[in-house]
Short mmCIF file of all heavy atoms in Angstrom, two decimals:
data_model
loop_
_atom_site.label_atom_id
_atom_site.label_comp_id
_atom_site.label_asym_id
_atom_site.label_seq_id
_atom_site.Cartn_x
_atom_site.Cartn_y
_atom_site.Cartn_z
N ALA R 6 -164.97 37.98 65.18
CA ALA R 6 -163.74 37.24 64.85
C ALA R 6 -162.57 38.20 65.15
O ALA R 6 -162.55 39.39 64.80
CB ALA R 6 -163.72 36.81 63.43
N SER R 7 -161.50 37.68 65.83
CA SER R 7 -160.30 38.43 66.12
C SER R 7 -159.13 37.59 65.75
O SER R 7 -159.26 36.38 65.40
CB SER R 7 -160.29 38.83 67.54
OG SER R 7 -160.06 37.74 68.39
N LYS R 8 -157.94 38.12 65.86
CA LYS R 8 -156.66 37.42 65.56
C LYS R 8 -156.53 36.24 66.44
O LYS R 8 -156.02 35.18 66.03
CB LYS R 8 -155.50 38.31 65.74
CG LYS R 8 -155.42 39.48 64.86
CD LYS R 8 -154.25 40.30 65.12
CE LYS R 8 -154.28 41.67 64.62
NZ LYS R 8 -153.20 42.53 65.09
N MET R 9 -157.02 36.29 67.67
CA MET R 9 -156.86 35.28 68.70
C MET R 9 -157.91 34.14 68.69
O MET R 9 -157.71 33.14 69.32
CB MET R 9 -156.74 35.87 70.04
CG MET R 9 -155.74 37.01 70.17
SD MET R 9 -154.10 36.39 70.27
CE MET R 9 -153.94 36.00 71.94
N GLY R 10 -159.03 34.45 67.91
CA GLY R 10 -160.08 33.45 67.97
C GLY R 10 -161.41 34.13 67.75
O GLY R 10 -161.50 35.22 67.14
N GLU R 11 -162.44 33.51 68.34
CA GLU R 11 -163.80 33.98 68.11
C GLU R 11 -164.43 34.42 69.47
O GLU R 11 -164.18 33.70 70.44
CB GLU R 11 -164.63 32.95 67.51
CG GLU R 11 -165.99 33.30 67.04
CD GLU R 11 -166.71 32.16 66.29
OE1 GLU R 11 -166.42 31.99 65.09
OE2 GLU R 11 -167.42 31.39 66.97
N ILE R 12 -165.07 35.46 69.46
CA ILE R 12 -165.72 36.03 70.67
C ILE R 12 -167.22 35.91 70.44
O ILE R 12 -167.75 36.36 69.37
CB ILE R 12 -165.38 37.46 70.92
CG1 ILE R 12 -163.87 37.63 71.08
CG2 ILE R 12 -166.20 37.96 72.14
CD1 ILE R 12 -163.40 39.08 70.98
N GLN R 13 -168.03 35.27 71.37
CA GLN R 13 -169.44 35.19 71.26
C GLN R 13 -170.07 36.03 72.37
O GLN R 13 -169.62 35.98 73.53
CB GLN R 13 -169.90 33.74 71.37
CG GLN R 13 -169.44 32.97 70.17
CD GLN R 13 -170.14 31.55 70.18
OE1 GLN R 13 -170.61 31.11 71.18
NE2 GLN R 13 -170.00 30.86 69.06
N ILE R 14 -171.08 36.75 71.98
CA ILE R 14 -171.84 37.62 72.89
C ILE R 14 -173.27 37.21 72.99
O ILE R 14 -173.95 37.07 71.96
CB ILE R 14 -171.70 39.12 72.51
CG1 ILE R 14 -170.27 39.57 72.33
CG2 ILE R 14 -172.42 39.98 73.50
CD1 ILE R 14 -170.04 40.94 71.72
N THR R 15 -173.73 36.96 74.20
CA THR R 15 -175.10 36.50 74.29
C THR R 15 -176.14 37.70 74.39
O THR R 15 -175.70 38.88 74.69
CB THR R 15 -175.39 35.75 75.63
OG1 THR R 15 -175.20 36.55 76.70
CG2 THR R 15 -174.53 34.50 75.71
N PRO R 16 -177.32 37.51 73.89
CA PRO R 16 -178.31 38.57 73.97
C PRO R 16 -178.52 39.24 75.33
O PRO R 16 -178.77 40.41 75.54
CB PRO R 16 -179.58 37.96 73.51
CG PRO R 16 -179.15 36.78 72.58
CD PRO R 16 -177.87 36.32 73.27
N ASP R 17 -178.36 38.45 76.41
CA ASP R 17 -178.50 38.94 77.76
C ASP R 17 -177.46 39.99 78.09
O ASP R 17 -177.68 41.05 78.75
CB ASP R 17 -178.48 37.89 78.77
CG ASP R 17 -179.70 37.06 78.93
OD1 ASP R 17 -180.70 37.56 78.42
OD2 ASP R 17 -179.66 35.96 79.44
N VAL R 18 -176.26 39.75 77.58
CA VAL R 18 -175.17 40.79 77.80
C VAL R 18 -175.47 42.09 77.09
O VAL R 18 -175.29 43.14 77.66
CB VAL R 18 -173.74 40.26 77.38
CG1 VAL R 18 -172.70 41.29 77.39
CG2 VAL R 18 -173.39 39.07 78.25
N ILE R 19 -175.92 42.03 75.83
CA ILE R 19 -176.28 43.18 75.12
C ILE R 19 -177.54 43.85 75.73
O ILE R 19 -177.48 45.03 75.83
CB ILE R 19 -176.55 42.73 73.65
CG1 ILE R 19 -175.29 42.21 72.99
CG2 ILE R 19 -177.13 43.97 72.87
CD1 ILE R 19 -175.49 41.57 71.73
N ALA R 20 -178.45 43.10 76.21
CA ALA R 20 -179.64 43.74 76.84
C ALA R 20 -179.26 44.40 78.14
O ALA R 20 -179.77 45.50 78.39
CB ALA R 20 -180.71 42.61 77.14
N THR R 21 -178.35 43.90 78.90
CA THR R 21 -177.97 44.55 80.18
C THR R 21 -177.24 45.86 79.85
O THR R 21 -177.49 46.90 80.46
CB THR R 21 -177.00 43.68 80.94
OG1 THR R 21 -177.67 42.45 81.29
CG2 THR R 21 -176.52 44.28 82.25
N TYR R 22 -176.32 45.84 78.89
CA TYR R 22 -175.72 47.00 78.48
C TYR R 22 -176.51 48.12 77.89
O TYR R 22 -176.55 49.27 78.25
CB TYR R 22 -174.51 46.71 77.50
CG TYR R 22 -173.56 47.90 77.23
CD1 TYR R 22 -172.61 48.23 78.17
CD2 TYR R 22 -173.67 48.61 76.09
CE1 TYR R 22 -171.80 49.35 77.97
CE2 TYR R 22 -172.81 49.69 75.82
CZ TYR R 22 -171.89 50.10 76.78
OH TYR R 22 -171.05 51.14 76.60
N ALA R 23 -177.46 47.64 76.99
CA ALA R 23 -178.38 48.55 76.41
C ALA R 23 -179.32 49.17 77.38
O ALA R 23 -179.68 50.41 77.31
CB ALA R 23 -179.21 47.88 75.31
N GLY R 24 -179.80 48.38 78.33
CA GLY R 24 -180.71 48.88 79.47
C GLY R 24 -180.03 49.91 80.31
O GLY R 24 -180.61 50.91 80.66
N THR R 25 -178.76 49.61 80.66
CA THR R 25 -178.03 50.62 81.50
C THR R 25 -177.88 51.87 80.72
O THR R 25 -178.01 52.93 81.27
CB THR R 25 -176.69 50.00 81.89
OG1 THR R 25 -176.97 48.72 82.56
CG2 THR R 25 -175.94 50.95 82.78
N THR R 26 -177.57 51.82 79.46
CA THR R 26 -177.42 52.98 78.65
C THR R 26 -178.72 53.75 78.48
O THR R 26 -178.77 55.04 78.63
CB THR R 26 -176.96 52.63 77.25
OG1 THR R 26 -175.64 51.98 77.31
CG2 THR R 26 -176.79 53.89 76.29
N ALA R 27 -179.84 53.00 78.36
CA ALA R 27 -181.18 53.63 78.16
C ALA R 27 -181.66 54.42 79.37
O ALA R 27 -182.19 55.47 79.23
CB ALA R 27 -182.19 52.56 77.85
N ILE R 28 -181.42 53.84 80.57
CA ILE R 28 -181.92 54.54 81.77
C ILE R 28 -181.08 55.80 82.09
O ILE R 28 -181.52 56.63 82.93
CB ILE R 28 -182.05 53.66 82.98
CG1 ILE R 28 -180.76 53.04 83.41
CG2 ILE R 28 -183.10 52.60 82.77
CD1 ILE R 28 -180.81 52.34 84.76
N GLU R 29 -179.93 55.96 81.44
CA GLU R 29 -179.20 57.19 81.64
C GLU R 29 -179.64 58.27 80.75
O GLU R 29 -179.27 59.44 80.92
CB GLU R 29 -177.66 56.90 81.26
CG GLU R 29 -177.02 55.96 82.34
CD GLU R 29 -175.62 55.51 81.85
OE1 GLU R 29 -175.19 55.84 80.73
OE2 GLU R 29 -174.97 54.88 82.68
N CYS R 30 -180.51 58.01 79.82
CA CYS R 30 -181.05 58.95 78.83
C CYS R 30 -182.11 59.92 79.56
O CYS R 30 -182.95 59.44 80.33
CB CYS R 30 -181.66 58.33 77.61
SG CYS R 30 -180.53 57.46 76.56
#
Side-chain angles (χ1 to χ4, degrees):
S7 71
K8 296 178 197 175
M9 307 285 275
E11 189 175 272
I12 303 165
Q13 292 188 347
I14 304 173
T15 65
D17 283 343
V18 171
I19 295 170
T21 301
Y22 189 75
T25 303
T26 300
I28 61 170
E29 293 173 353
C30 292

